[in-house]
Amino acid sequence: MKQHLHSYRLLLMVAAICTLAAFWLLGARIGVEQTQRQVDVVISYEDTVRLADASGVPVQEWLTQLADAGVRELLVTPDEQAEPDIVRAAQDAGLTLAQVGGLAQGGTYFFAAQYDTLAAAGQTGADTDTEPLPQAQVLDALRESGSTLVLIEDKNQTGCVLPDGYTLDGYTGGMVKGFWLNQTFRARYQTLGYSGAEEIVNMLYRAVVDRGMTVLWLTPLTDAAGETVAEPAVYTQLLQQLAQRLAPAGYHYGGLTAIETKTVSPVLLAVCGIGVFAAAIVLLGVIVPLRARWLHVLLFALGCAESAGGAFLAPELQCTALALLAAIVFPCLAAAMLAAELKESAGTRPTVARYAGMTALGAAITLWGCCYIGAILSSSEYLLVLRLFRGVKLSQLAVYAVAMVLLAAALREDLETLRRENSRHWRRKLLCLVLILAAVGTVYILRTGDGMLSVSVGEQRVRNWLERVLLLRPRTKEFLIAYPAIAAAYCCAAHRSRLTAWLFGVFGAIGFASVANTFCHIRAHFLVSLLRTGIGLVLGLVLGTIVLLILRACWPIPSGSTQTKE
């Protein structure tokens, strides 16, 4: 591996230098994301009236208690905004008015008062007979009034809800992301064995920290019987608990800072493309030897031409293609490094230092690619989830497939040696290998889809506990499966048990693909994804070290083997 990297040192230097362009774009992106640290909690006047009717507590008392607990804005329709009593009630409670529907008049604007049946802007509340307003008229009013448009996340968390026939292509006004407590979410009061609204607090926390929402739209909660929860203390306690959860993560209640329209510079995008293509040529050389020097030059020239042409002629398509390429190339390079390390460890005594080094190096190589991914997908369309990166599943499957090939190539020996090593019960070994791979693949496919294999109550509570303790929950695939599997692969390779080393090595490559996957979900802030990855690596190394020490104690290397110092 070292000789291979030496022969491709110029391309690696190019990839490293081009990372500076990625850092420039990342700096701008992080600067925008750091402005999204204040959370605006809102509630509609219509919902407040519902709570008052259900509880017998006056509307004014509800507004005052909610404002004291953290609610900042009261959502009103244009008709409600024309009512002096409603305006006075909001002012007396210290709330600012936000507009839903109609033509924007400044301040915070929402397309409608309900988003589960939203059809067109201008249709407020349950009134679906209202004549929809033309898109051009609504967007022109937003732009001219300087209003901040709140984009409500859809129920699948894959985009935002827009009125039928609406598109924000070409709209240049300020926007932010918002989370609406829809009918499904508001019914999670006293679920998962909690006595109160703990699970709703968990959902709101994830909406802010994991997905970058800066507007939280509070709606009346419902219990298991479908009845409205109408005790003011439940809502004030919910908001207070949420504020306490958000504070250590650097968030607090406050006003909005809009995200302005921003695109990726074609020049910087072209430079990033050159860096990604340089790394791709290095990976190609690992898989297929490219001994002719002129072939390196030809491939690099083609990569430069594509990077420049794509960045200036089709920047949107280029961003998707480059992000997908980076999400495949760099985790595969990490898998290639892991394969080389496992091959060199044959007959040596496993050490914690070497295990930690190979795991951390693989994560670092993957994070190198994640810098490219985060920079390439840094336009405001991605930050506002108006555009979604669609190559997540494809990149993961590609990494798994390439990792299988690279590990098999590195750990292979002549057929006679493999036959001798597996002469006993080889059919059982092969059957176990196939069953394990099939089981892992099936669980992975079912768990990555919504509603296919749901999370159990116990697992969800464990996830919630990790979030409370660590602020950011690391990915299970990384710290609980992949990194400990690398320790097991290391021990198996040291004992020249190549089939099991290959199997655990493939599981280890899952971690590198998962790290890239984290940054492909562009809805999360870059620093949040980076911190989550770091926490997962630390926990994984701790668990992997335990696995390594147990295996080393129970499965000692024969005395004739090469020894390495701890």
Side-chain angles (χ1 to χ4, degrees), residues 85 90 94 96-97 106 137 143 179 205 210 237 247 273 308 403 406 423 500 503 525 540 560:
D85 292 341
T96 304
L97 294 181
Q137 188 178 1
R143 190 181 297 107
F179 178 77
Y205 176 85
D210 285 0
Q237 185 178 15
L406 292 174
S423 59
T500 49
L503 176 63
H525 292 176

Side-chain angles (χ1 to χ4, degrees), residues 36-38 245-252 471:
Q36 307 297 297
R37 290 282 181 170
Q38 296 190 121
R245 289 280 305 277
L246 292 174
Y251 297 86
H252 60 276
L471 298 182

Side-chain angles (χ1 to χ4, degrees), residues 161 375 408 565:
V161 183
K565 294 182 179 180

Side-chain angles (χ1 to χ4, degrees), residues 129-297:
D129 296 327
T130 306
E131 184 69 22
L133 298 172
Q135 171 180 314
Q137 188 178 1
V138 173
L139 297 185
D140 286 344
L142 277 168
R143 190 181 297 107
E144 293 170 1
S145 65
S147 300
T148 298
L149 173 61
V150 179
L151 301 173
I152 296 297
E153 181 184 53
D154 64 24
K155 63 180 181 180
N156 295 322
Q157 301 176 1
T158 56
C160 60
V161 183
L162 297 178
D164 289 348
Y166 270 46
T167 175
L168 295 177
D169 292 343
Y171 178 69
T172 57
M175 295 175 278
V176 294
K177 295 186 292 184
F179 178 77
W180 181 56
L181 207 59
N182 62 31
Q183 292 180 355
T184 301
F185 295 150
R186 71 185 68 155
R188 294 185 180 176
Y189 178 72
Q190 292 182 337
T191 57
L192 300 181
Y194 295 121
S195 60
E198 288 89 341
E199 181 57 17
I200 295 176
V201 173
N202 293 331
M203 286 192 303
L204 296 176
Y205 176 85
R206 287 191 287 269
V208 174
V209 178
D210 285 0
R211 304 196 300 280
M213 304 293 159
T214 53
V215 176
L216 299 179
W217 185 339
L218 193 63
T219 57
L221 310 182
T222 55
D223 57 22
E227 299 295 328
T228 299
V229 179
E231 294 83 15
V234 171
Y235 297 86
T236 56
Q237 185 178 15
L238 182 156
L239 292 171
Q240 291 167 358
Q241 290 177 351
L242 179 61
Q244 294 171 357
R245 289 280 305 277
L246 292 174
Y251 297 86
H252 60 276
Y253 296 150
L256 295 176
T257 301
I259 297 178
E260 304 298 334
T261 303
K262 171 183 171 292
T263 58
V264 177
S265 165
V267 175
L268 294 178
L269 181 60
V271 176
C272 288
I274 293 172
V276 173
F277 272 106
I281 297 171
V282 176
L283 176 63
L284 183 61
V286 174
I287 301 173
V288 181
L290 305 174
R291 296 184 176 85
R293 189 69 67 176
W294 63 268
L295 194 54
H296 298 185
V297 176

